[in-house]
Amino acid sequence: MPGRGIDWCVAETFGRLQFRRDGRPWLDFDRYGKVYSTRGEPFKRRAQAEFVLGAIRSAVARGTPKQQAVDNWRPETSAVHRISRWLPIWLEHMRELEQAGERSRGYVEELERWCAPGGHIMAFWSSRSFYEVDFPGLQAWASWLAKRTRPNSSRGLGPKTRHNVMAALHSFLGWLRQMGELPYLPVFPWPRYQEHAPRLLSAEAQMRVVEAIPEERRGIFLALALLGARPSETVRLRVADYDPGDPGWITFPKTKNGEAKRLPVPDELASWLDKHVTREARLTGVPLFPLPYVGKGRRPAGPWNGTCLRREWHAACARVGVKATLYEGTKHSRATDLLRQKIDERTLQVLLGHRDSKSTRRYARLANQALVEAIRPTHRRVKNPSNTPPAEFQS
């Protein structure tokens, strides 16, 4: 209570009512600026100015920073309300969330690209106030995005990309509302898009692809396929994260949702680890799945990266004669196969590392044809006489 009293004492002396020569009132807040209107409507009577002065003092007494309390009453088109002024502040907030593990690095990098000068958000909204973001303006922006071409391409942005960019602006405006800067959120004209139906592999087809990978490189792909792990999480594993035993356990120190995840090691992966993880490796703390290199002019081994993983996976798919991306052929296919086995949702959520069960339920909404092919009996998976991929790899 004493603190609140001090706040009121300070607030009561903040700002002064002044008058021009023609008798019109205005408010002087010294270094915090001057206020001549009610968000753009000039003061005509003393009562109007006194009302705004009282509102600003009340906001300061409640803990609102003085500059923010004054800026809230400036014209809606004022430079202090420009989107270009607030986007960097919001981005810094998102970087702090990323460092705390609440946002992924990839997501923040996307935001930085869209909010950079010339980006999908900044190029259209930089000179505008966030009070000017309304439904007609958002519709105009959506049309502008649809016509905007990608680098080295004549095509405009697809509906999924436009949806993601608009979701970023929606998140920014939601943050402004939480900060007390924006009184309401406008309605967004969300573009419709068809959810991608992934190319799923059955468990048998998935293992055929994994077995087509050279044995010394196979370990990380066993982890991706059998544990349903994300590539970015798996490449960061160190030898110390593996606890051998019966069963052995692998601890993912940091997952996409910011939490650690501990999973039992399947027999196939345990056999590979027992053979390839040496005693010296356990003492030095090297990557659990190092990337062997047999060429010349480079170090003999190092950590995997996304490009190397995709290249190795696609080469194995080509040897088997099928097509499937790394993510869909490992994590998505494993999740779908577990759903077919009637694994309960909570267990699957823990395995996949989903914070929200809605992410887990996405696998139950995959295309019907992909699910049919994923569970097709083994005896129907014969060699394809044509030049097309086998049925279990078609979407």
Side-chain angles (χ1 to χ4, degrees):
M1 292 302 295
R4 296 293 295 174
I6 294 173
D7 289 345
W8 278 108
C9 290
V10 172
E12 284 297 324
T13 60
F14 182 57
R16 299 184 302 278
L17 178 63
Q18 305 279 22
F19 293 90
R20 301 182 185 184
R21 291 183 179 178
D22 59 5
R24 287 184 297 171
W26 60 282
L27 302 176
D28 184 9
F29 294 95
D30 296 326
R31 64 188 180 91
Y32 297 102
K34 301 174 176 60
V35 176
Y36 299 94
S37 63
T38 305
R39 295 193 176 98
E41 184 178 349
F43 295 140
K44 296 179 180 179
R45 298 186 301 274
R46 177 183 182 130
Q48 290 177 308
E50 289 179 341
F51 172 81
V52 173
L53 179 61
I56 292 175
R57 286 175 172 177
S58 296
V60 172
R62 291 194 301 269
T64 304
K66 292 182 177 180
Q67 189 65 65
Q68 181 180 339
V70 173
D71 290 344
N72 285 342
W73 289 92
R74 295 186 188 277
E76 293 184 353
T77 56
S78 172
V80 298
H81 300 311
R82 293 259 177 91
I83 290 178
S84 58
R85 176 179 182 265
W86 288 91
L87 269 179
I89 302 174
W90 175 66
L91 280 177
E92 187 59 34
H93 170 66
M94 299 305 290
R95 293 186 190 102
E96 292 174 357
L97 293 180
E98 185 264 327
Q99 292 175 358
E102 298 182 28
R103 297 291 186 277
S104 69
R105 180 57 193 157
Y107 174 65
V108 175
E109 288 176 349
E110 285 281 272
L111 296 180
E112 290 172 342
R113 284 194 292 271
W114 296 338
C115 298
H120 298 324
I121 295 178
M122 187 68 83
F124 189 89
W125 296 104
S126 62
S127 62
R128 308 189 189 197
S129 162
F130 51 71
Y131 287 109
E132 297 179 273
V133 182
D134 53 12
F135 186 78
L138 289 168
Q139 278 190 318
W141 181 46
S143 300
W144 179 81
L145 287 175
K147 298 174 184 177
R148 197 175 202 216
T149 58
R150 299 172 180 269
N152 304 320
S153 174
S154 59
R155 298 176 58 187
L157 299 180
K160 175 63 174 176
T161 302
R162 298 201 306 271
H163 185 280
N164 291 342
V165 175
M166 294 183 76
L169 182 65
H170 188 274
S171 176
F172 165 66
L173 295 177
W175 172 77
L176 284 176
R177 187 181 182 188
Q178 291 178 337
M179 296 288 290
E181 297 292 335
L182 195 63
Y184 64 92
L185 283 177
V187 177
F188 271 64
W190 297 105
R192 295 184 178 181
Y193 64 93
Q194 186 175 4
E195 187 172 356
H196 171 64
R199 295 174 180 265
L200 297 178
L201 309 183
S202 65
E204 296 86 351
Q206 185 186 64
M207 290 313 298
R208 288 206 303 271
V209 176
V210 172
E211 290 170 359
I213 298 172
E215 200 268 343
E216 69 276 8
R217 297 170 175 247
R218 192 178 301 161
I220 192 169
F221 295 95
L222 286 169
L224 295 173
L226 298 178
L227 298 178
R230 298 180 181 89
S232 59
E233 299 167 358
T234 310
V235 298
R236 292 197 296 263
L237 289 173
R238 316 295 291 183
V239 172
D241 298 322
Y242 171 51
D243 183 17
D246 187 18
W249 293 82
I250 286 181
T251 301
F252 294 81
K254 186 176 181 180
T255 60
K256 183 179 179 180
N257 62 22
E259 300 175 358
K261 178 174 66 173
R262 190 167 184 259
L263 299 177
V265 179
D267 293 340
E268 300 92 328
L269 179 56
S271 299
W272 189 93
L273 290 171
D274 291 342
K275 180 178 179 180
H276 292 274
V277 178
T278 64
R279 185 179 185 84
E280 292 76 13
R282 298 180 188 278
L283 296 176
T284 57
V286 297
L288 182 60
F289 301 108
L291 169 62
Y293 186 78
V294 295
K296 297 180 180 179
R298 290 176 59 184
R299 54 191 173 87
W304 285 87
N305 57 50
T307 300
C308 294
L309 284 172
R310 290 189 293 271
R311 184 183 296 124
E312 192 72 47
W313 177 262
H314 292 157
C317 288
R319 286 192 287 271
V320 176
V322 299
K323 289 184 179 180
T325 65
L326 174 65
Y327 209 85
E328 294 172 353
T330 55
K331 183 179 177 67
H332 281 276
S333 296
R334 178 61 170 165
T336 304
D337 184 65
L338 291 175
L339 280 175
R340 178 178 65 86
Q341 300 177 35
K342 307 299 183 183
I343 298 295
D344 68 272
E345 184 180 291
R346 176 56 184 165
T347 301
L348 185 60
Q349 182 179 348
V350 173
L351 174 67
L352 300 178
H354 291 158
R355 183 192 298 270
D356 191 344
S357 60
K358 293 181 181 178
S359 300
T360 309
R361 295 191 190 108
R362 281 190 66 251
Y363 294 99
R365 301 197 304 267
L366 298 176
N368 290 337
Q369 181 62 28
L371 285 173
V372 169
E373 300 299 343
I375 65 176
R376 180 164 291 177
T378 306
H379 64 80
R380 295 181 61 183
R381 300 193 188 100
V382 295
K383 289 186 177 180
N384 195 353
S386 66
N387 218 7
T388 59
E392 62 263 36
F393 302 99
Q394 299 179 14
S395 57

